């Protein structure tokens, strides 16, 4: 498994992504009906994304705090953010949701924020040094 020693940019990007994600998850889980009324986004969608984001932010926080991060997991986070942005824009342009202007703005803001995190995390991954491989102890 290929590992990197995360540079400060990668650590901070992952931590900021985790903190913002946790705040949004808490908001979705505690105020889904209010947000749904305000944006005309489905309450069930807000609850489901809130639950998913709890697990996602735990992964982000762990990656931000580990001294040696698996490249595959960091890449998964970057790709996940890109897919999340594509999904938000896809919902916006498809017309599947009957969101109002506030709901559309919420989807655009969501897409741009995760794209920004993906870009920062990608740059951080590129700037991180490969971690030295651990050798197995001989018996």
């Amino acid at each position: 498994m290929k590992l990197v020693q995360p540079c400060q940019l990668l650590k901070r990007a992952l931590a900021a992504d985790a903190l913002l994600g946790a705040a949004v998850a808490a908001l979705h889980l505690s105020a889904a009906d209010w947000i749904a009324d305000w944006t005309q986004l489905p309450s069930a969608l807000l609850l489901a994304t809130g639950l998913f984001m709890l697990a996602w932010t735990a992964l982000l926080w762990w990656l931000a705090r580990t001294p040696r991060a698996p490249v595959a997991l960091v890449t998964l986070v970057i790709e996940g953010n890109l897919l999340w942005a594509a999904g938000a824009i896809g919902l916006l342009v498809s017309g599947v949701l009957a969101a109002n202007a506030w709901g559309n703005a919420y989807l655009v803001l969501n897409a741009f924020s995760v794209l920004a995190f993906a870009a920062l995390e990608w740059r951080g991954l590129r700037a991180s040094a490969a971690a030295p491989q651990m050798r197995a102890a001989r018996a």
Side-chain angles (χ1 to χ4, degrees), residues 58-113:
L59 171 63
L60 292 171
W61 190 252
W62 177 77
L63 285 171
R65 308 279 296 158
T66 189
R68 296 164 36 105
V71 171
L73 283 180
V74 176
T75 302
L76 175 73
V77 166
I78 295 165
E79 292 171 351
N81 279 341
L82 293 173
L83 287 171
W84 192 276
I89 296 301
L91 287 173
L92 177 69
V93 299
S94 71
V96 170
L97 302 178
N100 60 21
W102 290 111
N104 291 337
Y106 192 79
L107 290 171
V108 169
L109 178 63
N110 197 303
F112 279 119
S113 65

Side-chain angles (χ1 to χ4, degrees), residues 16-30:
D17 196 354
L19 291 172
L20 182 61
V24 172
L27 184 63
H28 282 197
L29 293 172
S30 66

Side-chain angles (χ1 to χ4, degrees), residues 5-50:
Q5 293 175 322
C7 68
Q8 283 298 332
L9 173 61
L10 181 56
K11 287 181 181 186
R12 288 180 179 158
L14 289 166
D17 196 354
L19 291 172
L20 182 61
V24 172
L27 184 63
H28 282 197
L29 293 172
S30 66
D33 290 336
W34 179 80
I35 297 169
D37 288 342
W38 183 52
T39 62
Q40 296 303 297
L41 292 170
S43 180
L45 175 66
L46 296 167
L47 287 170
T49 57

